[in-house]
């Protein structure tokens, strides 16, 4: 028996509950709302797993029924699932708990079909707030159906908070120059998503860049004057600059007024009482326009003053402020200057992530969420093993320092080139270890995810996924940085050089051989998977081709940088292979996402194709 998240107590008993067409799902009158949603989820899941469709009604249960009820003696989010030969009872302390019991029963039915072993499960989460944070701005803007699919996935694994992060990808009424060349979310879409989340006990929380990371806004002629850097609207687009620059000039009074207007407009769409202002990585603060103020007052004081004004504004709106803690960690005592209910989002994404920042903020008395990551940014394929190590560590720190929540992050640096479905194992790690801190080994949890998420009876697919990224020699970050060095900086970018591994032919041959073997094994695994999960194999095959292809391109660039020459015919062939792959990549992108940054990615891809054909002079 495999269940994720792992329940606290399972008592197995003799016998089986036999599902049949005569069985009825009964919604007790104690469930005031959303009962039809829980019953509908269970009905659909049972039908998929067994082929049997059970009716559902509201009222009192009879022998043989599947009974959904709320018990006032249970705690919030606590549930009990009791399977006997005479019926099934799912009792919870609230509606969310009943839904969690339903999802556990769905996992059992997926493994045992219509003969479900008798057992009693008692379960309650270790952490009450378990979130997933999606970057909906730096590359991909997922379509509404794709966002709803993510909500279904996170609900299935008992995640109860979903943060939707934007910088310039919401259609603000008065910021037309900012979004005119984008494919932004609309108010109607967010309102619909918010309602969809509420029905599944997922709190949709707004997350918005409000200080740093305002690249597109501060690259407009209309608002560029509010940027800390001078003439910010004159520079060409750069993925590196988007990550490293474009912080607000806090000494310009118009800046705080603009951000408050944006917060009020965006926040009004969400039923949540929380708002994440982010306020992370304010790298440029005090560097140019406000330099004199920084020298007089200090950038730390400038930072906390601006954040405090935004938090006070949110408190006045009845919202609980949240912000990322990378800056305040340098002065943990500053947390006392903020409203008492402010939540510090303490993050760290390394596989061997230290606990210093978590400890410092806890000792300062901060209320905090700890934020690990799914480690997909800047890569064609998520670094799955790194994400496992990072998430298990951060969840353990959360237990140690009594964090109020875990917020697992999925960032999109450099265009969000990895497909969203590749983040699912990392998403489930976060769900599993925030609910139950008891650690499950890397290989074992991968087997469980393979079975539960993908219906893979061989239990191999996630383990194979995890190996793909280990054979990447020329990742997307390196490819972008090399391109920008050549095109935007005309070769002048200190501290960057191509990896020496690109010059070792044996490394490339070994990587390609491993990738070929993994592709074959993944295709063999497809027959063991449930039908609706098999598109993953096509996506992974495209990813493996990307890694192999870019490894070869990187080797060609290394030859060029070393003053060598390459075979013209081979280079032309490689350019064609790149263009053919990218056509399939665009098709895959458009299945889940709007255009977003696809045109920026295309520009870089085609530059490499042109370079291989000798068309670029740089």
């Amino acid at each position: 028996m495999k269940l994720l998240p792992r329940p606290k107590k399972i008592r197995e008993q003799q016998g089986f509950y036999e599902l049949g067409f005569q069985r009825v799902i009964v919604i007790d009158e104690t469930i005031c709302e959303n009962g039809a949603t829980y019953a509908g989820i269970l009905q659909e899941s049972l039908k998929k797993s067994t082929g049997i469709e059970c009716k559902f009604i509201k009222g009192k249960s009879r022998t043989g029924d599947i009974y959904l009820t709320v018990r006032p003696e249970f705690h919030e989010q606590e549930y009990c699932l009791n399977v006997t030969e005479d019926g099934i009872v799912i009792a919870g302390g609230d509606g969310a708990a009943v839904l969690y019991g339903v999802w556990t029963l769905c996992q059992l039915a997926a493994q045992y079909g219509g003969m479900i072993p008798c057992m009693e499960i008692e379960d309650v989460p270790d952490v009450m707030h378990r979130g997933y944070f999606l970057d909906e701005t730096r590359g991909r803007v997922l379509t509404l159906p794709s966002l709803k699919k993510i909500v279904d996935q996170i609900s299935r694994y008992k995640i109860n908070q979903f943060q939707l992060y934007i910088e310039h990808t919401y259609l603000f009424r008065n910021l037309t120059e900012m979004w005119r060349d984008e494919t932004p979310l609309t108010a109607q879409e967010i309102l619909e998503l918010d309602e969809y989340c509420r029905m599944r006990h997922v709190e949709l929380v707004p997350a918005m860049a409000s200080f740093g990371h305002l690249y597109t806004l501060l690259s407009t002629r209309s608002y560029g004057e509010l940027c800390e850097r001078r003439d910010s609207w004159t520079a060409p687009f750069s993925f590196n600059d988007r990550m490293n620059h474009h912080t607000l000039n806090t000494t310009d009074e118009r800046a705080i007024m603009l951000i408050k207007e944006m917060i009020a407009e965006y926040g009004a769409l969400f039923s949540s009482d929380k708002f994440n202002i982010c306020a992370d990585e304010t790298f440029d603060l005090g560097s140019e326009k406000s330099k004199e103020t920084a020298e007089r007052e200090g950038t730390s004081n400038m930072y906390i003053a601006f954040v405090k004004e935004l938090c006070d504004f949110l408190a006045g709106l009845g919202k609980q402020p949240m912000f990322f803690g990378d800056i305040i960690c340098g002065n943990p005592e500053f947390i006392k200057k903020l409203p008492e209910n402010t939540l510090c989002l303490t993050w760290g994404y390394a596989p061997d992530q230290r606990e210093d920042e978590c400890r410092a903020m806890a000792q300062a008395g901060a209320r905090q969420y700890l934020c690990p990551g799914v480690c997909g940014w800047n890569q064609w394929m998520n670094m799955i093993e790194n994400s496992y190590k990072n998430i298990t560590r951060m969840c353990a720190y959360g237990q140690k320092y009594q964090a109020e929540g875990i917020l697992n992050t999925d960032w999109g640096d450099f265009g969000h080139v990895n497909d969203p479905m590749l983040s699912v194992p990392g998403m489930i790690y976060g769900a599993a270890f925030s609910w139950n801190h008891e650690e499950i080994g890397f290989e074992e949890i991968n087997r469980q995810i393979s079975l539960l998420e993908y219906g893979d009876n061989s239990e191999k697919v996630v383990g194979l996924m995890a190996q793909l990224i280990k054979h990447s020699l020329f990742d997307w970050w390196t490819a972008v940085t090399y391109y920008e060095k050549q095109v935007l900086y005309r070769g002048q970018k200190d501290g960057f050089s191509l990896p020496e591994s690109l010059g070792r032919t044996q490394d490339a041959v070994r990587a390609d051989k491993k990738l070929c073997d993994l592709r074959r094994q993944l295709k063999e695994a497809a027959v063991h998977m449930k039908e609706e999960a098999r598109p993953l194999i096509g996506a992974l095959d495209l990813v493996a081709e990307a890694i192999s292809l870019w490894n070869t391109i990187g080797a060609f660039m290394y030859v060029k940088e070393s003053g060598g020459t390459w075979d013209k015919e081979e280079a032309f062939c490689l350019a064609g292979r790149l263009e053919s792959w990218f056509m399939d990549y665009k098709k895959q992108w458009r299945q889940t996402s709007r255009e977003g940054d696809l045109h920026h990615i295309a520009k870089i891809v085609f530059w490499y194709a042109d370079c291989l054909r000798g068309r670029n002079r740089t």
Side-chain angles (χ1 to χ4, degrees):
M1 182 195 310
K2 294 177 171 60
L3 297 171
L4 287 175
R6 178 184 286 171
K8 295 297 196 308
K9 294 181 181 178
I10 302 177
R11 287 186 289 273
E12 297 184 54
Q13 298 166 353
Q14 295 296 316
F16 295 86
Y17 173 82
E18 183 177 350
L19 199 69
F21 289 101
Q22 74 281 14
R23 302 301 195 189
V24 177
I25 301 167
V26 179
I27 306 164
D28 185 32
E29 293 176 356
T30 57
I31 299 177
C32 300
E33 57 183 3
N34 296 342
T37 300
Y38 317 150
I41 287 170
L42 182 57
Q43 180 188 61
E44 182 181 1
S45 179
L46 292 176
K47 185 177 180 180
K48 281 185 177 180
S49 297
T50 69
I52 297 171
E53 183 172 355
C54 300
K55 297 183 292 292
F56 65 83
I57 63 170
K58 190 165 186 176
K60 300 297 182 181
S61 68
R62 301 177 182 178
T63 300
D65 288 343
I66 302 174
Y67 186 47
L68 313 181
T69 185
V70 169
R71 297 268 176 82
E73 67 269 23
F74 285 13
H75 296 295
E76 180 184 350
Q77 299 188 51
E78 179 186 7
Y79 73 90
C80 177
L81 168 61
N82 191 16
V83 181
T84 69
E85 293 180 350
D86 294 329
I88 297 177
V89 177
I90 298 174
D94 56 6
V98 174
L99 179 59
Y100 299 154
V102 163
W103 281 125
T104 300
L105 179 56
C106 292
Q107 289 190 7
L108 288 170
Q111 294 172 72
Y112 296 105
M115 296 294 290
I116 301 172
C118 294
M119 68 184 71
E120 186 175 20
I121 293 175
E122 295 178 10
D123 206 6
V124 67
D126 287 334
V127 179
M128 298 302 287
H129 303 284
R130 305 169 303 281
Y132 191 69
F133 177 101
L134 180 67
D135 187 339
E136 183 76 345
T137 203
R138 294 178 187 164
R140 291 181 188 268
V141 182
L142 297 188
T143 62
L144 184 58
S146 297
L147 288 170
K148 288 180 177 179
K149 182 178 178 181
I150 289 177
V151 173
D152 289 338
Q153 287 176 313
I154 65 177
S155 172
R156 186 158 63 244
Y157 294 100
K158 305 181 176 70
I159 293 172
N160 61 358
Q161 190 178 114
F162 184 29
Q163 294 207 11
L164 204 62
Y165 171 71
I166 58 105
E167 294 170 12
H168 57 274
T169 50
Y170 167 68
L171 199 146
F172 288 96
R173 295 184 69 179
N174 297 326
L175 302 181
T176 56
E177 188 185 355
M178 179 180 72
W179 49 250
R180 69 184 187 186
D181 193 34
E182 302 295 335
T183 49
L185 293 166
T186 67
Q188 184 174 337
E189 288 169 325
I190 292 175
L191 288 167
E192 184 176 336
L193 182 65
D194 187 75
E195 182 180 6
Y196 191 84
C197 287
R198 287 199 310 272
M199 298 289 283
R200 288 151 183 79
H201 293 283
V202 174
E203 182 181 12
L204 185 65
V205 176
M208 189 189 89
S210 64
F211 200 168
H213 289 306
L214 287 166
Y215 182 84
T216 305
L217 176 68
L218 299 181
S219 293
T220 65
R221 189 64 184 87
S222 300
Y223 296 98
E225 292 179 358
L226 302 182
C227 186
E228 177 68 29
R229 303 176 81 196
R230 296 179 178 87
D231 300 328
S232 61
W233 59 86
T234 63
F237 177 84
S238 162
F239 278 118
N240 275 286
D241 283 353
R242 185 164 77 179
M243 295 306 302
N244 297 325
H245 299 296
H246 292 67
T247 299
L248 281 171
N249 170 18
T250 62
T251 62
D252 191 321
E253 294 182 357
R254 296 173 297 174
I256 193 74
M257 295 305 297
L258 174 62
I259 297 302
K260 286 179 180 179
E261 290 173 5
M262 293 172 68
I263 286 174
E265 181 178 345
Y266 190 54
L269 305 174
F270 298 77
S271 57
S272 171
D273 65 351
K274 302 177 180 63
F275 196 110
N276 181 3
I277 60 171
C278 296
D280 55 319
E281 297 185 332
T282 52
F283 298 129
D284 288 334
L285 182 62
S287 63
E288 289 190 29
K289 292 180 183 177
S290 66
K291 189 172 183 179
E292 290 185 9
T293 303
E295 290 173 348
R296 183 175 64 253
E297 299 179 5
T299 55
S300 296
N301 289 314
M302 291 171 65
Y303 173 84
I304 202 64
F306 191 83
V307 170
K308 182 180 186 304
E309 186 160 357
L310 291 183
C311 289
D312 288 342
F313 174 70
L314 282 166
L317 296 175
K319 300 285 187 179
Q320 182 175 24
M322 311 172 86
F323 72 105
F324 284 111
D326 51 303
I327 307 299
I328 203 172
C329 282
N331 302 94
E333 68 280 4
F334 280 5
I335 196 70
K336 292 183 172 59
K337 298 186 177 186
L338 303 179
E340 288 185 5
N341 68 335
T342 301
L343 281 166
C344 177
L345 306 176
T346 309
W347 60 269
Y349 307 135
D352 55 350
Q353 182 63 40
R354 65 185 187 181
E355 64 182 284
D356 300 35
E357 290 80 7
C358 310
R359 180 177 60 247
M361 295 313 301
Q363 290 174 346
R367 299 177 61 178
Q368 62 178 332
Y369 284 11
L370 300 192
C371 307
V374 298
C375 300
W377 44 92
N378 301 326
Q379 306 285 341
W380 297 111
M381 178 68 209
N382 292 52
M383 294 185 286
I384 290 178
E385 187 169 3
N386 282 9
S387 73
Y388 169 84
K389 292 176 179 178
N390 173 249
I391 291 166
T392 52
R393 273 180 177 264
M394 290 295 279
C395 288
Y397 297 156
Q399 186 81 8
K400 182 176 181 179
Y401 295 109
Q402 299 180 317
E404 294 187 22
I406 297 293
L407 182 63
N408 195 11
T409 58
D410 188 353
W411 293 101
D413 308 12
F414 281 41
H416 213 149
V417 293
N418 61 312
D419 192 287
M421 71 174 78
L422 306 179
S423 295
V424 170
M427 173 198 293
I428 298 173
Y429 297 154
F433 297 121
S434 57
W435 181 279
N436 185 341
H437 73 273
E438 183 181 342
E439 192 167 316
I440 306 170
F442 180 60
E443 293 181 0
E444 175 57 29
I445 196 170
N446 287 345
R447 286 193 290 268
Q448 294 186 23
I449 296 171
S450 296
L451 179 66
L452 294 172
E453 178 63 19
Y454 305 115
D456 171 25
N457 292 315
S458 72
E459 301 183 4
K460 292 180 179 179
V461 68
V462 177
L464 295 172
M465 288 172 68
Q467 295 180 48
L468 285 170
I469 193 60
K470 296 179 179 180
H471 308 294
S472 175
L473 306 178
F474 190 55
D475 61 28
W476 180 241
W477 182 90
T478 308
V480 171
T481 304
Y482 179 74
Y483 158 81
E484 292 189 352
K485 174 183 176 181
Q486 300 300 315
V487 175
L488 303 182
Y489 305 104
R490 300 296 177 183
Q492 303 301 313
K493 191 167 181 63
D494 295 337
F496 173 79
S497 59
L498 292 175
E500 291 185 5
S501 59
L502 294 173
R504 295 194 290 268
T505 305
Q506 66 273 22
D507 287 0
V509 171
R510 188 182 304 113
D512 208 47
K513 184 177 179 181
K514 290 284 188 181
L515 288 166
C516 286
D517 183 54
L518 287 170
R519 293 172 82 167
R520 293 189 186 104
Q521 290 186 65
L522 284 164
K523 290 165 187 174
E524 290 170 351
V527 72
H528 301 287
M529 298 168 65
K530 58 186 178 183
E531 184 178 354
E532 60 266 32
R534 289 174 186 164
L536 174 68
I537 301 302
L540 291 171
D541 198 50
L542 195 65
V543 164
E545 172 66 6
I547 295 171
S548 173
L549 179 58
W550 285 93
N551 284 351
T552 307
I553 293 169
F556 269 68
M557 296 303 118
Y558 191 89
V559 169
K560 177 186 174 184
E561 288 292 295
S562 303
T565 59
W566 57 54
D567 182 272
K568 182 178 178 180
E569 185 176 346
E570 287 183 9
F572 271 59
C573 183
L574 182 59
R577 180 184 166 198
L578 174 62
E579 289 156 346
S580 294
W581 163 82
F582 191 60
M583 181 60 71
D584 289 325
Y585 178 82
K586 288 189 291 184
K587 181 180 178 181
Q588 184 79 20
W589 175 291
R590 290 167 178 151
Q591 289 177 2
T592 60
S593 313
R594 306 176 194 194
E595 292 300 288
D597 273 355
L598 191 56
H599 62 293
H600 289 307
I601 297 167
K603 187 174 182 179
I604 297 171
V605 169
F606 297 148
W607 179 85
Y608 275 99
D610 288 345
C611 191
L612 289 165
R613 293 193 177 98
R615 294 180 62 179
N616 294 327
R617 296 182 180 276
T618 54

